[in-house]
Amino acid sequence: MPLFYASYPITPASDLLHELSRLNALGVFTMQAEDEIAAANIALGAAFGGHLGVTATSGPGMDLKAETIGLAVALELPMVVFDVQRAGPSTGCRRRPRPPTC
């Protein structure tokens, strides 16, 4: 089954789009969508056309894709959604080591 990947570039899920776009010679099709909802709808359309429809997001985009995911379930179409999360706090803060005590 050919793979069709549609995604909106948002870190850290952007890495999937970058890597899969290099596999065009192997029959992997990629498309950069204008927003999260369009990415899910494109992937679902590809699944309706006989491809394995794949999309990815980073957290909040799952809410935006919920309606399309529900339609994919109701139609029983092969659509995969990756929810790529950052490791650690989302604010970029990290705990500083305590100075050594003597």
Side-chain angles (χ1 to χ4, degrees), residues 64-75:
L64 298 169
K65 295 177 189 287
E67 225 173 289
T68 305
I69 293 169
L71 182 58
V73 170
L75 296 174

Side-chain angles (χ1 to χ4, degrees), residues 2 6 17 21-22 25 31 34 42 59 65 76-77 88 91 96 99:
L17 180 60
S21 66
R22 296 181 182 145
M31 180 177 223
E34 64 268 16
I42 292 166
K65 295 177 189 287
E76 298 181 359
L77 291 172
T91 59
R96 295 177 187 222

Side-chain angles (χ1 to χ4, degrees), residues 71-92:
L71 182 58
V73 170
L75 296 174
E76 298 181 359
L77 291 172
M79 185 172 129
V80 178
V81 181
F82 288 101
D83 188 8
V84 182
Q85 297 294 304
R86 292 174 180 86
S90 62
T91 59

Side-chain angles (χ1 to χ4, degrees), residues 1-5 26-29 43 46-47 49-54 78:
M1 177 179 290
L3 189 141
F4 191 102
Y5 181 79
L26 298 175
V28 176
F29 302 97
H51 290 72
L52 174 61
V54 183

